[in-house]
Amino acid sequence: MSPVEHLFSSSASDEKEMLNSLGFNTIDELLDKLLPPEIRTKTAIKLPPPLNEIELTKQMFELSNRNADCWRYTIYLGGGIYDHFVPAVVDDIISKPEFYTAYTPYQAEASQGTLQAIFEFQSLIARLTGMDVANASMYDGASSTAEALRLACEYTSRKKILSASTLNPLYKDVIKTYLNPFKVELLNIGSVDGRLEINELEDKLCDDIAAVVIQNPNFFGVIEDPVGLSDMVHNVGALLVVVVDPVSLGLLIPPGEYGADIVTGEGQSLGWHMNFGGPGLGIFATKKEFVRLMPGRIVGETTDIEGKKGYVHVLQTREQHIRREKATSNICTNSALVAVAAAVYLSLLGENGLRKLARICFDRAHYLAENLSKIDGVRIRFGSPFFKEFVVDLPIKAKSLVSSLLEKKIIAGIPLSHFFHNMESSLLVAVTEKRTKEELDYFVDNVKSIIHL
């Protein structure tokens, strides 16, 4: 080996020295001592040459550059996970050692900082949704919604749910999984122009329905008309469950003001990165009469014997903390780190900031929709009002357009054929505050050129 080659090779002598210090001559001798022969492979494993730390770091950067990340690509994906901007202060605060855990503390009262942060999160979510109480969060919007329907069945002692067809289909899959062991029947309510079919709902409402679940804005981005809905549902003794996009509540009426009994949703848009689709943040808020049937846990504010303010777990409904038969759910933790991020984000924005954010999303989504609809052969599928997401019908298959736009570093949205067999030419497009006018115009120009090739 030449002197130059020696400089760029891994040191075999160092390896030999380490093995000798342990009393072995070869790596095989060491492995024979540590591992039973029956679990060791008999053939050589084909691995690339070893890398030192500098070489490995360089290789990892090269691999990461192949990713279609949210800064080198413009992203129009939605359906529950959105490309919102996350201020640096959010990541900075949650990275502090006292917060940087994704799990709820078991020695709760010794973790006053975490408990206070969760208490603030609960307070902010309750205020945002217009509900009496919110829990410390669930895993994600889908599991949160499924838990809400389980609660409704428990409270009403009924086993039928009316679900809007405009509810996120992924949520429906989770709901079916959750409720199947309880033999709960999930009935579908159709839609007209992307909105819940009220007449069909009225026909199907009866005294064996436990709950009606709607999403507002719904999976297609359409804003439902919920006024008067709660009266219809409550007249038959059922509960109204509403799934929300929390950012939309900067503009829309909070569900608590139109009679919702339980509000759920995905909180990822509140200061959390997309992270390839997870982890999420399940929002769960209710009226106070359902508090003892809520899943998860609730943090409360109290005072100690010296009169000092403190924070405690006031309700813990898991089977490890109370008698198993009284447990409301086996989902017993919360997405603590994501909840803290949401609390920081909402505190940073405040009411005015959230209202401005929602307005920007609304305006930019409508700007894009208006300009896409000017392209020959393209139309906005629903005439109903929408928030930041909309469905566009194309003269070509949506998957084909998405594939072509990837070459332009545009992730165009979700082809709805993933969920609905009769929507091969329909694309679900979401627009956040990150999309500039130049990016929106670039999107329109590229769609036009691809369609009219």
Side-chain angles (χ1 to χ4, degrees):
M1 181 183 294
S2 71
V4 174
E5 288 176 323
H6 177 74
L7 286 173
F8 291 96
S9 68
S10 59
S11 176
S13 62
D14 289 346
E15 180 184 308
K16 182 75 171 174
E17 188 177 333
M18 285 191 290
L19 284 168
N20 290 342
S21 70
L22 294 170
F24 302 101
N25 292 316
T26 66
I27 190 70
D28 285 324
E29 287 183 17
L30 173 63
L31 295 176
D32 285 337
K33 181 74 174 178
L34 296 175
L35 301 174
E38 61 269 20
I39 70 169
R40 289 198 56 192
T41 181
K42 303 298 188 294
T43 57
I45 302 174
K46 294 181 180 179
L47 294 174
L51 301 175
N52 61 37
E53 186 175 354
I54 296 173
E55 293 166 336
L56 179 61
T57 302
K58 183 180 179 182
Q59 186 182 67
M60 295 305 292
F61 272 113
E62 289 171 352
L63 290 172
S64 70
N65 284 336
R66 299 181 191 177
N67 288 331
D69 65 66
C70 63
W71 291 111
R72 284 174 293 183
Y73 284 67
T74 52
I75 297 178
Y76 298 88
L77 290 171
I81 301 293
Y82 301 94
D83 184 27
H84 285 287
F85 178 70
V86 178
V89 67
V90 176
D91 286 332
D92 183 63
I93 290 176
I94 67 170
S95 67
K96 293 183 179 298
E98 55 267 41
F99 287 133
Y100 204 58
T101 172
Y103 206 66
T104 293
Y106 274 106
Q107 293 178 312
E109 282 63 49
S111 306
Q112 286 295 297
T114 298
L115 288 177
Q116 182 178 358
I118 292 173
F119 177 81
E120 301 297 346
F121 165 78
Q122 293 172 181
S123 303
L124 288 162
I125 294 300
R127 184 173 178 181
L128 185 65
T129 58
M131 303 304 288
D132 297 326
V133 60
N135 72 7
S137 79
M138 308 298 290
Y139 289 139
D140 52 34
S143 61
S144 189
T145 305
E147 289 283 359
L149 298 177
R150 182 212 51 78
L151 185 158
C153 292
E154 176 79 11
Y155 181 79
T156 61
S157 299
R158 300 173 182 177
K159 293 200 172 186
K160 285 186 179 180
I161 301 288
L162 293 180
S163 168
S165 62
T166 52
L167 179 66
N168 190 317
L170 297 175
Y171 284 31
K172 285 189 178 182
D173 288 343
V174 174
I175 290 167
K176 289 173 184 175
T177 302
Y178 262 72
L179 299 184
N180 182 62
F182 303 102
K183 309 300 181 188
V184 174
E185 188 177 359
L186 196 63
L187 305 172
N188 193 61
I189 302 296
S191 61
V192 176
D193 199 22
R195 270 181 163 180
L196 180 73
E197 171 51 272
I198 295 295
N199 292 333
E200 184 181 346
L201 172 64
E202 212 165 7
D203 290 341
K204 290 185 176 178
L205 274 172
C206 55
D207 59 10
D208 61 353
I209 300 298
V212 174
V213 55
I214 68 167
Q215 185 173 353
N216 187 33
N218 63 38
F219 179 66
F220 301 118
V222 171
I223 300 170
E224 297 281 3
D225 181 8
V227 177
L229 189 61
S230 64
D231 289 339
M232 292 171 53
V233 174
H234 294 154
N235 284 341
V236 297
L239 304 186
L240 177 61
V241 177
V242 180
V243 183
V244 298
D245 171 358
V247 171
S248 73
L249 298 179
L251 289 180
L252 304 183
I253 298 172
E257 292 188 16
Y258 54 78
D261 296 291
I262 308 173
V263 179
T264 66
E266 175 54 62
Q268 175 271 331
S269 56
L270 302 177
W272 194 247
H273 302 279
M274 290 184 289
N275 295 322
F276 301 99
L281 173 65
I283 291 170
F284 195 109
T286 74
K287 294 178 178 177
K288 61 184 177 182
E289 53 259 45
F290 309 120
V291 70
R292 289 197 171 275
L293 290 174
M294 286 178 71
R297 57 192 65 193
I298 301 173
V299 174
E301 184 181 276
T302 187
T303 54
D304 64 14
I305 57 174
E306 297 177 352
K308 296 178 181 176
K309 184 186 293 184
Y311 298 89
V312 295
H313 276 150
V314 294
L315 283 176
Q316 300 177 82
T317 55
R318 78 184 283 182
E319 70 280 0
Q320 290 182 9
H321 294 147
I322 61 177
R323 290 197 299 278
R324 182 176 295 276
E325 66 273 13
K326 288 186 174 290
T328 60
S329 171
N330 69 340
I331 301 300
C332 46
T333 183
N334 66 292
S335 297
L337 186 68
V338 196
V340 173
V344 175
Y345 182 82
L346 286 170
S347 301
L348 182 68
L349 262 65
E351 287 186 29
N352 289 335
L354 185 64
R355 190 175 297 113
K356 288 178 183 177
L357 170 65
R359 186 74 210 192
I360 290 170
C361 293
F362 178 91
D363 288 343
R364 294 183 185 180
H366 283 74
Y367 174 83
L368 180 60
E370 181 182 345
N371 283 278
L372 284 173
S373 65
K374 293 176 182 177
I375 301 172
D376 288 341
V378 176
R379 73 179 186 93
I380 305 306
R381 186 178 183 92
F382 304 117
S384 301
F386 62 91
F387 173 51
K388 67 181 182 187
E389 227 165 344
F390 57 91
V391 178
V392 58
D393 283 342
L394 308 162
I396 62 175
K397 290 184 178 180
K399 285 184 179 180
S400 174
L401 178 69
V402 169
S403 179
S404 298
L405 288 173
L406 274 175
E407 298 174 10
K408 305 291 185 180
K409 294 196 172 183
I410 297 170
I411 301 178
I414 302 175
L416 288 178
S417 58
H418 285 314
F419 306 107
F420 309 99
H421 65 84
N422 62 339
M423 299 182 78
E424 282 197 343
S425 299
S426 299
L427 184 69
L428 181 63
V429 180
V431 183
T432 70
E433 77 284 5
K434 282 181 65 176
R435 302 286 70 84
T436 64
K437 181 178 182 298
E438 291 74 23
E439 288 173 338
L440 299 174
D441 291 341
Y442 182 68
F443 182 48
V444 172
D445 291 342
N446 278 282
V447 170
K448 186 186 299 183
S449 64
I450 291 166
I451 288 174
H452 295 153
L453 276 178

